[in-house]
Amino acid sequence: MGRRTPERRGARRAALLAATMTASLAVGCTAHHGSPVDDGRGQTRPPTQTPAQSPSTGGTVAPATGPLLAVKIDNVPAARPQTGLDSADIVYAEQVEGGLSRLMAVFATKLPKSVGPVRSARVSDLELLRQFDDPTLAFSGAQHKLLPLIAKAPLRSASPDEVANAYYRGVDKSAPHNLYLHPNKLLSSAPGAAALTTGFRYGSAPAGGRPTASRTVRYPAARFTFTWSGSKHRWQISEDGTPTVLTDGKRLAPATVVVQYVKIRKSKYHDVLGNNTPYTETVGSGKADVLRDGRTYSVDWKRQKATDGTQFTTSDGTPMNFAKGQVWVVFAKS
């Protein structure tokens, strides 16, 4: 990116975005290739990927028509209820400053009319997103020391400074919890399940597993509870003790929940109050619990390099199948 000012870089990206609105991907800002993470782990993605599976059918799907969309979602109580999360194929939950949580919603098979509230990116997001081919990242902004890494990352940056017409302010919440995105201003259509180069597998559950009525994951200042509903065949979510509903009143309930145990360490970044930004390491290996069909399966996870998806296997090395439908991945400290 040389030494262009943020204003010049934002103006250039905005012009490119507007010029490609009629293409299959309506965000045309330059994709920057380099090492986006603060610990020097950068890899070049190979040009081809293994066939993906559809989260809705579990079958092999057609090639993707473009990159997917990842949106950073505010998740403090003042930001709830949220909008559009039920359309996401994957929702990642990560710990941020002060022990709070933030979400990243990944959209490939369906684009909602609106999604939000949208909040700022974190350094861990860049490593997590390396598993996807040139994804579009929608976020409200980032601290100035992180912006150069985002600019160099192999993704399509789509902040309000770069594509203002994709965002709007809602009237039901106060700032900063009222910024929303129109995804169709960034992507002309959903790219399809093949854009989900995650390594996830879908299909029948393996034998075994522990019957599970409810599971809670705690952060220092936040908690998620997933309660099995046999009638809906979904895990109904509560956060901080309150049922998680969307703005349309719908209860949020994924088909599969992954509690992935990872290293969470301090990064070199801090928020405006001086709180350290946690770095969630999603490359490596470890243990995880997969919740599906009212049962918990203890599995191993492995992601050898940033450009790989995460593989989940049972104790005998058999790939772990997820239930068809939305997947939540909650990163918990190992």
Side-chain angles (χ1 to χ4, degrees), residues 1 4 15 59 69 76 110 125 149 153 155 171 200 202 211 229 238 251 262 275-276 282 289 294 296 301 331:
M1 293 301 296
R4 289 178 300 190
L69 172 65
V76 298
K110 181 181 179 181
D125 302 332
L149 292 184
L155 55 78
V171 298
F200 294 178
Y202 301 84
S229 170
S238 296
R251 184 77 179 267
V262 298
N275 297 311
N276 186 265
T282 56
D289 290 331
T296 297
W301 70 267
F331 295 119

Side-chain angles (χ1 to χ4, degrees), residues 55 83 87 109 132 149 257 307:
T83 299
S87 296
T109 61
F132 303 115
L149 292 184
V257 177
T307 50

